[in-house]
Amino acid sequence: MTPVQVIGIGLEGSGGLTATARQMVEGASLLVGSDRHLSYFPNHQSPRLVLGDFQQVVEAISQQLDNLEENQYVVVLVSGDPLFFGLGRLLLQQLPQEQLTFHPHLSSVQLAFSRIKVPWQNAGVISAHGRSLEQLTQALQQGVEQVAVLTDGTNTPQAIARLLLSLDLASSYEFWVGENLGGDDEQVRSFAVNAVLGQTFAPLNLVVLLRQSNLAEQHLDLDSLPLLGLPDRTFASFSDRPGLMTKREVRILVLGELALQPGQIIWDIGAGTGSVAIEIARLSQNSQIYAIEKTAIGSVLIEQNCRRFQVKNVSSIHGSAPKMLSELPTPDRIFIGGSGGKLNSILDSCQERLAKDGVIVLALATLEHLNQVLSWLNSHNWHYRLLQVQLSRSVPVGELTRLSPLNPVTIVTATRPVKS
């Protein structure tokens, strides 16, 4: 038997251990654990060591190992699985691997998913215990379908709810909180995100976030929406890339650069979810917008979003530019949000079709595409101006606030040369 036995234990105490694990605890020459873990064995006769300062505890264990007689060993009690965001990782850094044996118990994440009856093999597990919420922010922005979050006294369920509300995500999440998992006073409840802010939870808790896939079918309160600058979260989006849309702040700038007038024909090339087209349609109900999107799922999303926002003046065109452009009426304004690798040929077609006093606006995320556009505009003597957009949104960090940057975008506004 190795000299250090690391045994996982749950809130049910010694009754949740296997017979073998209980025998190991009973025979330990030194029992190490938190006050709570040690309290599960009030009649243990061997010396006890309360887990406090980790370095001091490791030094004490090392000294004990030097004095162990044959068949003696140390037991370290930890919560759940020692190697799942637990003390096991730190012990492996400080003690020789061959001196350690691990006996995992059910982890809080396993218990939580079993209680809400959801398979969790694809779940993302994030520890916010003693860490920042940066990793969780990235996972939410990427639209991870299932996220389990290990909390602490700062990164509480309320802090996670505030973060969710601040991010204006294109995805919505079911919000579950599991408290005292495995204990007699266990609770597992689902909340609306706003409702979490007014709740009080047991100190031992875990949050599970489940992305909802039926946003397009959910009711949208149109009367509560702004006339300009629709929140990103109100749009049905790609299930595998929920953040793939022109962000609200950039949409507002694009709409300004388009210099819209009533009764116009507008092309939205590479329309994605249709967010720009729908913003235009709501602002100018007697204009006609053609949203050209090469992916079938994108075209379906555009139609779903048109129904969600009850706009009637957007036509979803499934096909690739520039091929589909020849079939459309002459545009007064063109927005290019995606090109599918055919930027030059799209610009050639736009030049042929654009009305005399028309405007083209492009939103470009890469330097290569910006260079390609500028080269084309200069070679064709077009007039243009650039607007480099580097925006940050505020997000809560515990009780504080920091700024989280959006991806930089360059907006190019171009008009054809005036012939003398």
Side-chain angles (χ1 to χ4, degrees):
M1 180 180 292
T2 55
V4 180
Q5 302 291 320
V6 187
I7 298 177
I9 192 169
L11 288 180
E12 67 274 41
S14 60
L17 296 178
T18 64
T20 300
R22 282 197 298 272
Q23 289 176 0
M24 285 185 180
V25 173
E26 292 169 2
S29 59
L30 174 66
L31 193 60
V32 182
S34 68
D35 283 325
R36 175 167 60 85
H37 293 148
L38 294 175
S39 70
Y40 297 145
F41 303 94
N43 300 319
H44 200 282
Q45 299 301 311
S46 297
R48 298 161 173 256
L49 179 61
V50 178
L51 269 172
D53 182 281
F54 176 73
Q55 197 59 46
Q56 291 181 2
V57 169
V58 170
E59 291 175 0
I61 292 174
S62 297
Q63 292 176 2
Q64 181 76 12
L65 295 180
D66 292 338
N67 299 317
L68 284 180
E69 299 179 2
E70 188 176 357
N71 296 325
Q72 287 186 324
Y73 56 90
V74 174
V75 165
V76 181
L77 297 171
V78 299
S79 295
D81 185 342
L83 296 176
F84 183 76
F85 293 107
L87 190 64
R89 176 180 62 86
L90 298 176
L91 289 171
L92 284 168
Q93 292 174 355
Q94 300 291 328
L95 298 173
Q97 184 177 3
E98 61 272 12
Q99 291 186 337
L100 295 162
T101 298
F102 297 96
H103 305 271
H105 192 67
L106 287 173
S107 71
S108 58
V109 175
Q110 288 174 290
L111 288 170
F113 277 100
S114 69
R115 300 301 191 255
I116 62 179
K117 302 177 184 179
V118 172
W120 67 286
Q121 63 268 18
N122 297 319
V125 181
I126 294 172
S127 176
H129 191 87
R131 299 171 170 87
S132 75
L133 291 174
E134 181 62 32
Q135 188 179 359
L136 176 60
T137 300
Q138 293 176 2
L140 294 172
Q141 290 172 334
Q142 293 166 4
V144 175
E145 291 190 12
Q146 302 171 335
V147 186
V149 189
L150 307 178
T151 62
D152 65 10
T154 299
N155 295 321
T156 60
Q158 294 90 335
I160 294 168
R162 285 193 293 271
L163 176 65
L164 262 173
L165 293 170
S166 73
L167 290 177
D168 189 22
L169 298 170
S171 301
S172 60
Y173 282 86
E174 292 181 42
F175 199 110
W176 291 84
V177 180
E179 304 169 77
N180 297 324
L181 292 165
D184 293 337
D185 53 351
E186 171 184 292
Q187 285 195 97
V188 181
R189 295 177 288 170
S190 177
F191 299 90
V193 178
N194 282 314
V196 176
L197 302 178
Q199 296 290 323
T200 301
F201 300 101
L204 295 176
N205 64 69
L206 173 122
V207 170
V208 174
L209 303 173
L210 304 177
R211 198 180 83 200
Q212 297 176 300
S213 58
N214 60 341
L215 178 63
E217 301 172 6
Q218 295 175 17
H219 173 71
L220 192 61
D221 183 5
L222 296 176
D223 293 335
S224 68
L225 296 177
L227 179 62
L228 173 66
L230 295 168
D232 293 344
R233 65 179 178 275
T234 56
F235 290 94
S237 187
F238 299 94
S239 60
D240 58 337
R241 296 163 295 164
L244 187 63
M245 69 168 62
T246 303
K247 297 297 187 288
R248 173 182 178 273
E249 295 84 352
V250 176
R251 284 199 308 273
I252 293 172
L253 293 171
V254 165
L255 294 170
E257 291 299 295
L258 283 168
L260 299 167
Q261 298 290 333
Q264 292 183 318
I265 300 294
I266 299 109
W267 292 355
D268 180 359
I269 299 174
T273 62
S275 61
V276 173
I278 287 170
E279 290 266 20
I280 297 171
R282 284 166 49 86
L283 287 173
S284 182
Q285 296 183 16
N286 63 347
S287 291
Q288 183 61 44
I289 302 94
Y290 294 88
I292 302 99
E293 171 58 38
K294 69 176 184 177
T295 67
I297 183 61
S299 294
V300 170
L301 285 170
I302 292 168
E303 294 170 2
Q304 288 179 344
N305 282 319
C306 286
R307 290 193 295 270
R308 277 177 64 73
F309 291 96
Q310 298 180 20
V311 298
K312 307 295 185 183
N313 52 333
V314 174
S315 297
S316 176
I317 309 297
H318 177 211
S320 297
K323 180 180 178 181
M324 303 301 297
L325 304 181
S326 61
E327 303 174 11
L328 304 180
T330 299
D332 301 289
R333 300 289 186 267
I334 299 173
F335 172 63
I336 303 176
S339 63
K342 301 177 181 178
L343 196 47
N344 280 0
S345 57
I346 289 174
L347 289 170
D348 289 339
S349 294
C350 290
Q351 178 175 241
E352 293 176 8
R353 299 295 313 285
L354 184 66
K356 181 179 179 180
D357 57 350
V359 177
I360 299 176
V361 176
L362 305 96
L364 305 168
T366 69
L367 295 176
E368 289 78 9
H369 284 154
L370 175 60
N371 183 62
Q372 188 177 352
V373 168
L374 295 182
S375 178
W376 187 95
L377 293 172
N378 287 322
S379 65
H380 292 77
N381 298 313
W382 277 56
H383 303 297
Y384 62 87
R385 65 174 178 268
L386 307 180
L387 180 62
Q388 189 176 58
V389 181
Q390 294 180 297
L391 296 166
S392 297
R393 291 174 175 171
S394 64
V395 295
V397 182
E399 299 300 321
L400 305 176
T401 305
R402 70 169 178 81
L403 292 173
S404 177
L406 302 177
N407 290 331
V409 175
T410 301
I411 299 174
V412 181
T413 305
T415 53
R416 66 172 69 253
V418 178
K419 296 183 180 179
S420 56

